[in-house]
Amino acid sequence: MIFLKWFLTKSWRHAIAWAVCFFALFPLYMIVLTSFKKTTSLQVGSFLPTGFSLTNFNSLLTNPTVPFYTWMSNSVIIAAFVSVVSVFIGAASAFAFSRLRFRGKKASIQLLLLIQMFPAVLALSAVYSIMDRVHAFAPSIGLGTIGGLVLVYLGGAMGVNIWLLKGFVDSIPIELDEAARVDGASPMQIYWRIFLPLASPVLAVVCLLSFIGTFNEYILASLFLNDPSQQTIAVGLHGFISGQFATNWGPFAAGSLLASLPIVVLFLSLQKYIVNGLTAGAVKG
Amino acid sequence: MRLLKGIKIAVILKIVLVTIALAVLGFLMQAALLAGDTQIGIFFGIAIFLIALVYFTRISIPLKFFLPGVLLLATFVITPVVYTISMSAYQYKTGNILSKPEALKMLKSNDAFAQVPDEKKFDLKLGWCDEKYGDPKDVANAPVCALVSYYPDNIYFLSTATTLTPLTRDRIIFNKVGLPADVTKVGAKFTWEPFYEDEYATFDKTIASTRFKYSKPGTFMQAEGYSVMAVYAQRIVYDAKADTFTDIKTGFVYKDNGRGNYANTKNGKDVMYPGWREVVWFENFVNLVNDPSVRDPLVAVFIWTCIFAVTTVVTQFALGLLIALTLHTKMRGRWIYRSIIILPYAMPSIMSIMIWGGMLNTDFGAVNNLIGLIVGHPVHLTWLTDPTLARTSVLLVNLWLGFPYFYLISTGALQAIPAELTEAAAIDGASGGQTFRKITLPLLMQMLSPLLISSFAFNFNNFNLIYLLTGGGPKDTLSGQSAGATDILISYTYNLAFNKGTQNFGLASAVSIVIFVAVAAISLYGIRRSKVLESFV
């Protein structure tokens, strides 16, 4: 009797959950399977395990023409730097928009919103020629350098997740600010002493989302960085499968597994906070 | 002593940081100016001035918060956007890339002269002439002197850029194969000296650029390699006063057509290349509407973009909500399901898209293998090369990428709906379906519509997915298709601007603006609805 009741009320739920889990896991299973295949497999094909080997990892990590660690560290450095700085800039802007009075506030927030909607990919040629000119006199931050790419990514820092941050600033009771102001604190002090410490959890989440977003960026990185030792992991791994005659899915799968694992772990462990951020309107790339 | 009164660690730190920033920018400004790039130099100058002004005075407190972001925004977003917008008013495409002076220079040097087809090709031996033509020791200024000959007709002469000296046959010393190799000296006097082997390489540029004199007026000779001399004649004449080119042979006059080319006054389609980029105001926009070869693919792409974005949001939301409702109860293993279901979202999307590309391969892909296993025989569905299947693939992959997000936000929203409401409905005798349709769904839509709209706007411009999965294809290039079956506006425009063959920056910029307006309208509608802007001001 209990079983029947369970069957009627819960079993369909489990059936749907199983089906969706299968859908969700299928590509991930293929990545794991392909990366542990014996031969450096050319395709993501058969889905039955044929044995276990680390051939693909070996060919990825020991091949001198494939600077996997460099790609990985490039990606991590770029994404970390961009996410921290852009969250910092974004937080300052959100604070000012939320708590300070100034003329033209409405106009400037509308302008910021409008500019953010321009499809960034299409301004590429202009960005490209600007950075080409910068390269002529400052080779370390121009075209083809990680520094230059970071600067371009930071161009949109002001608008990054400004909704989420603004929403958070609004949720901090204004009485705190007022109390601090009565005690003689300047806006700068309120920002540093009150806002930033209170906001640090939400800033960490925005930072993580921005990190993942930058990590996922492909087109700018592929146009900007030509030297293999400067490339990011996304661009580097894409090289494995974009060759016209040779596609190496084995090492590619191994590489994407290694590259994704830290992010997936980070994401899952912080999921509670991230979900709160998502419902408030944050964006993950 | 006001200056010193407030000194604390924070103030010192601020001064140090701002000074470092100023020093770096100052260094960059100097480098830019030294390299001759005044525009960028001035930009750095303005940045330095603003930073010093904002951080060392009390002119504006909000600017202290905004300035770093504003400077970066101005450089890498606003400037490129303004540039792109201004490009939309230009005829700016392959063949019209240069500025007018550059194009004019090229036309005058490359195009103005042509080989005279019925003239002989002469044998050529390069060397130096005697002191009459210059000091052979002063190599920098020595004129290259060609020993030119046409053996069958017994023609021999020396030619430089300015002089022509006929020679008689008895002055010529022939080499083993019977070609002129040297010239005898008259008395002890030096007359002509052939090049040493190494001099060919050294004077390569001089040789290529010298126009050697020839006997017929209006013509000259140019070396083709090191052993052949060809005769050239002027083909077109540039009239600087009227700014026109005239073709000597046909008599056609080519006039600046105001659209970036010199065009035949008798036949506007006959234009000279290279052209230059020229302001054509709204022509690119007019072409979007009037020119069928531009309009038709664009309309098709626009329709598909809307279908793609709407279908994506609807399917992602439907599946996400279904799971959210399914799991919105106490059940065994819920957290395991939850963890598995958000995995696609936790995975960096770029890796997932690429792996899907492999799985959808026709002959070896896992998707076909799986279907083959289910139906019992091998299938060869062309997921990425058949137009309809490619569109299905794009939607399927995007569903996989996005449904966990909607699951997460739907779960959040469901939890936020007070249980009293559904309980009250149940007491009033509403069935489960009625409660869902009349209470839960409207409340959910109200909470989630801003997120649905922003998701629509995101997918409207989902470049990565299209670019990495199908590249916009499949595209029938043989029949002249300019847009692929899965091309959305942004990938189509990217191809217009950065295609390897022909590039049309002007048209691409015009389309960018159309996209911009569309996305801005959608998003502004979303923002209005969500009232988020009101809380800002």
Side-chain angles (χ1 to χ4, degrees):
Chain A
M1 195 59 201
I2 292 170
F3 176 78
L4 194 67
K5 195 183 168 201
W6 175 86
F7 189 80
L8 286 174
T9 55
K10 295 282 169 69
S11 65
W12 63 273
R13 293 179 191 270
H14 285 280
I16 291 177
W18 272 90
V20 174
C21 284
F22 174 79
F23 179 50
L25 281 179
F26 185 43
L28 306 174
Y29 169 73
M30 289 311 301
I31 295 182
V32 177
L33 190 72
T34 312
S35 60
F36 287 112
K37 275 228 173 97
K38 257 195 187 118
T39 50
T40 51
S41 133
L42 294 180
Q43 296 293 344
V44 196
S46 69
F47 42 83
L48 297 172
T50 54
F52 175 85
S53 108
L54 292 174
T55 319
N56 288 320
F57 290 92
N58 273 336
S59 73
L60 181 75
L61 300 176
T62 56
N63 184 344
T65 60
V66 179
F68 182 80
Y69 295 112
T70 316
W71 289 343
M72 199 63 197
S73 73
N74 284 345
S75 271
V76 169
I77 290 169
I78 292 174
F81 189 85
V82 168
S83 58
V84 169
V85 175
S86 67
V87 163
F88 195 76
I89 291 173
S93 309
F95 176 80
F97 276 129
S98 172
R99 291 297 159 90
L100 301 177
R101 284 159 188 273
F102 54 94
R103 256 190 308 167
K105 187 168 167 180
K106 188 172 180 177
S108 47
I109 185 82
Q110 279 174 338
L111 188 70
L112 180 64
L113 278 174
L114 207 63
I115 292 166
Q116 294 289 326
M117 284 165 206
F118 196 86
V121 173
L122 302 175
L124 263 181
S125 56
V127 173
Y128 194 88
S129 65
I130 290 175
M131 293 317 276
D132 196 30
R133 278 164 70 175
V134 170
H135 184 77
F137 62 84
S140 55
I141 59 163
L143 198 64
T145 64
I146 288 175
L149 185 64
V150 164
L151 280 175
V152 175
Y153 283 153
L154 285 178
M158 222 178 138
V160 75
N161 285 313
I162 195 158
W163 300 120
L164 172 61
L165 289 165
K166 165 75 171 55
F168 183 80
V169 185
D170 288 343
S171 74
I172 299 174
I174 194 140
E175 289 76 19
L176 280 178
D177 292 33
E178 277 162 2
R181 200 171 310 137
V182 169
D183 288 351
S186 69
M188 274 295 167
Q189 284 170 323
I190 295 174
Y191 176 68
W192 287 102
R193 298 272 181 83
I194 295 176
F195 170 68
L196 279 188
L198 281 172
S200 49
V202 79
L203 292 185
V205 171
V206 177
C207 201
L208 177 68
L209 291 173
S210 162
F211 182 94
I212 296 173
T214 315
F215 195 88
N216 271 328
E217 206 285 328
Y218 173 79
I219 192 73
L220 263 178
S222 78
L223 278 177
F224 253 66
L225 308 171
N226 291 319
D227 181 359
S229 70
Q230 301 252 298
Q231 278 168 348
T232 62
I233 189 79
V235 179
L237 287 180
H238 186 245
F240 277 115
I241 57 165
S242 64
Q244 206 167 357
F245 304 107
T247 45
N248 289 309
W249 287 98
F252 170 81
S256 54
L257 188 66
L258 288 180
S260 311
L261 215 56
I263 289 186
V264 172
V265 169
L266 209 60
F267 195 95
L268 291 183
S269 55
L270 293 174
Q271 71 161 280
K272 201 174 92 193
Y273 305 100
I274 291 171
V275 172
N276 290 339
L278 291 177
T279 37
V283 189
K284 168 187 173 278
Chain B
M1 289 316 284
R2 191 190 157 78
L3 195 66
L4 292 174
K5 204 174 148 196
I7 285 195
K8 280 179 234 145
I9 293 172
V11 177
I12 295 169
L13 199 67
K14 175 186 107 174
I15 292 174
V16 170
L17 284 176
V18 174
T19 312
I20 290 173
L22 289 179
V24 170
L25 287 173
F27 173 77
L28 286 171
M29 179 176 79
Q30 194 193 10
L33 290 176
L34 281 177
D37 203 329
T38 13
Q39 278 175 326
I40 292 184
I42 290 171
F43 182 84
F44 280 123
I46 295 172
I48 291 170
F49 173 74
L50 284 176
I51 290 174
L53 189 71
V54 166
Y55 290 105
F56 289 140
T57 71
R58 284 164 178 263
I59 190 162
S60 159
I61 286 167
L63 267 185
K64 291 186 192 214
F65 289 93
F66 287 134
L67 194 62
V70 167
L71 287 177
L72 286 164
L73 192 75
T75 319
F76 296 110
V77 181
I78 296 177
T79 312
V81 166
V82 169
Y83 175 85
T84 308
I85 291 174
S86 69
M87 278 309 117
S88 71
Y90 276 82
Q91 167 102 306
Y92 186 21
K93 60 184 182 191
T94 306
N96 295 65
I97 300 283
L98 306 168
S99 66
K100 189 174 176 184
E102 285 168 332
L104 193 58
K105 202 174 150 201
M106 280 185 73
L107 283 170
K108 281 200 263 185
S109 65
N110 294 356
D111 254 29
F113 297 92
Q115 223 175 67
V116 182
D118 41 358
E119 267 290 355
K120 315 176 195 22
K121 293 250 173 138
F122 293 97
D123 287 320
L124 164 68
K125 182 83 186 162
L126 288 158
W128 305 108
C129 283
D130 75 10
E131 58 268 32
K132 189 165 122 199
Y133 307 114
D135 181 1
K137 303 287 178 293
D138 180 14
V139 285
N141 296 312
V144 174
C145 187
L147 170 56
V148 184
S149 55
Y150 192 68
Y151 175 70
D153 291 3
N154 260 334
I155 301 174
Y156 306 96
F157 56 91
L158 292 172
S159 171
T160 72
T162 51
T163 64
L164 194 68
T165 319
L167 297 172
T168 51
R169 191 178 192 283
D170 54 300
R171 298 266 328 258
I172 308 295
I173 301 166
F174 293 92
N175 67 7
K176 276 180 240 162
V177 292
L179 288 171
D182 208 341
V183 179
T184 55
K185 294 173 176 34
V186 180
K189 209 177 148 202
F190 163 76
T191 308
W192 187 80
E193 190 88 1
F195 266 12
Y196 293 116
E197 282 302 319
D198 61 327
E199 285 174 327
Y200 284 102
T202 317
F203 295 98
D204 193 35
K205 278 214 173 109
T206 322
I207 297 164
S209 64
T210 305
R211 291 178 173 178
F212 294 95
K213 202 171 171 181
Y214 188 57
S215 51
K216 287 184 188 150
T219 63
F220 61 90
M221 296 184 298
Q222 209 153 22
E224 289 184 346
Y226 297 137
S227 57
V228 177
M229 195 69 122
V231 178
Y232 283 75
Q234 195 158 27
R235 188 172 71 87
I236 48 176
V237 184
Y238 179 64
D239 180 352
K241 219 180 204 171
D243 190 25
T244 56
F245 282 97
T246 309
D247 190 317
I248 294 175
K249 215 169 178 182
T250 59
F252 288 142
V253 176
Y254 291 81
K255 206 164 181 300
D256 182 348
N257 63 1
R259 304 182 58 254
N261 286 96
Y262 286 103
N264 190 336
T265 48
K266 300 236 167 59
N267 171 11
K269 290 232 166 86
D270 176 17
V271 295
M272 289 166 64
Y273 281 101
W276 59 94
R277 47 178 192 268
E278 181 68 86
V279 181
V280 291
W281 299 111
F282 297 104
E283 193 182 287
N284 287 314
F285 292 96
V286 172
N287 280 345
L288 291 184
V289 183
N290 281 346
D291 184 348
S293 69
V294 179
R295 180 189 59 206
D296 295 350
L298 189 71
V299 169
V301 168
F302 180 77
I303 293 171
W304 164 242
T305 308
C306 292
I307 295 174
F308 165 75
V310 169
T311 317
T312 292
V313 174
V314 169
T315 52
Q316 288 180 352
F317 181 49
L319 186 56
L321 182 61
L322 173 73
I323 306 162
L325 289 168
T326 308
L327 298 183
H328 189 58
T329 179
K330 274 217 164 81
M331 59 190 281
R332 201 173 295 176
R334 186 164 71 158
W335 72 271
I336 299 177
Y337 292 138
R338 184 185 163 92
S339 306
I340 289 175
I341 287 166
I342 66 171
L343 275 178
Y345 192 58
M347 181 87 184
S349 60
I350 192 143
M351 306 295 174
S352 319
I353 295 169
M354 292 195 270
I355 210 79
W356 269 104
M359 286 169 52
L360 290 168
N361 184 289
T362 303
D363 297 320
F364 311 100
V367 174
N368 274 348
N369 285 351
L370 182 69
I371 296 174
L373 200 73
I374 293 167
V375 300
H377 59 87
V379 290
H380 293 278
L381 291 169
T382 47
W383 287 107
L384 298 175
T385 46
D386 173 78
T388 315
L389 282 176
R391 289 178 169 182
T392 316
S393 308
V394 167
L395 290 170
L396 177 78
V397 174
N398 214 12
L399 173 64
W400 187 87
L401 289 169
F403 80 90
Y405 167 72
F406 281 99
Y407 159 64
L408 289 174
I409 60 170
S410 301
T411 304
L414 282 176
Q415 282 162 356
I417 294 174
E420 290 80 22
L421 285 177
T422 46
E423 280 162 16
I427 289 167
D428 285 356
S431 71
Q434 276 176 322
T435 317
F436 176 73
R437 264 183 293 121
K438 295 276 164 71
I439 296 177
T440 315
L441 197 60
L443 281 171
L444 271 181
M445 292 307 287
Q446 198 191 348
M447 277 188 271
L448 297 183
S449 60
L451 298 180
L452 290 171
I453 289 166
S454 72
S455 170
F456 176 84
F458 171 78
N459 281 298
F460 200 83
N461 281 333
N462 197 339
F463 181 79
N464 264 6
L465 174 72
I466 302 294
Y467 186 77
L468 289 173
L469 194 65
T470 62
K475 177 158 56 174
D476 187 2
T477 36
L478 286 178
S479 67
Q481 258 188 347
S482 64
T486 56
D487 253 328
I488 57 172
L489 278 171
I490 194 160
S491 63
Y492 172 66
T493 316
Y494 178 84
N495 278 335
L496 274 183
F498 299 103
N499 192 2
K500 288 201 177 65
T502 52
Q503 307 173 324
N504 193 337
F505 294 111
L507 189 63
S509 303
V511 181
S512 319
I513 292 169
V514 172
I515 301 177
F516 176 46
V517 171
V519 179
I522 297 161
S523 308
L524 284 178
Y525 174 75
I527 290 162
R528 285 269 161 77
R529 262 192 87 110
S530 66
K531 305 225 163 47
V532 69
L533 203 60
E534 274 74 8
S535 68
F536 250 107
V537 287

